[in-house]
Amino acid sequence: MKKIALIGMGKMGFSHAAIINSLEGVEVCGAADKSKLMIWGFNKYSNIKVYDDFIDMINICNPDAVIISTPTSSHFEITKYCLNNNIHVFLE
């Protein structure tokens, strides 16, 4: 079972979560977003744990890969952290 984590839970984050949940052999192990509204909504309507800090989520979930669908201004920091920790990255 491959574990995928989501960083950024806007429209594309929700779309990626739905796609991953339909695949065999893959699970969403966690998600991260800074928006309290997005965290509340995702926690209420799904059983995927959502964190307000992507580093905390990565340390707890230990994903094989992440899907980053955050604003472009945050891509470098998040991608660099993930690659430095040997986590595969899909950058939206």
Side-chain angles (χ1 to χ4, degrees), residues 72-83:
T72 56
S73 61
S74 64
H75 285 179
F76 179 77
E77 173 193 357
I78 297 168
T79 302
K80 181 179 175 184
Y81 182 86
C82 293
L83 293 176

Side-chain angles (χ1 to χ4, degrees), residues 29-91:
C29 64
D33 199 289
K34 291 186 178 190
S35 166
K36 291 180 194 240
L37 179 61
M38 297 306 288
I39 293 169
W40 173 83
F42 209 74
N43 279 330
K44 181 173 181 175
Y45 295 107
S46 80
N47 42 348
I48 298 168
K49 175 71 174 145
V50 183
Y51 301 84
D52 63 357
D53 184 274
F54 78 93
I55 294 174
D56 290 342
M57 181 207 51
I58 287 171
N59 290 333
I60 292 168
C61 294
N62 193 30
D64 298 301
V66 297
I67 297 175
I68 302 170
S69 52
T70 60
T72 56
S73 61
S74 64
H75 285 179
F76 179 77
E77 173 193 357
I78 297 168
T79 302
K80 181 179 175 184
Y81 182 86
C82 293
L83 293 176
N84 284 337
N85 285 280
N86 298 314
I87 300 169
H88 297 277
V89 171
F90 177 92
L91 183 58

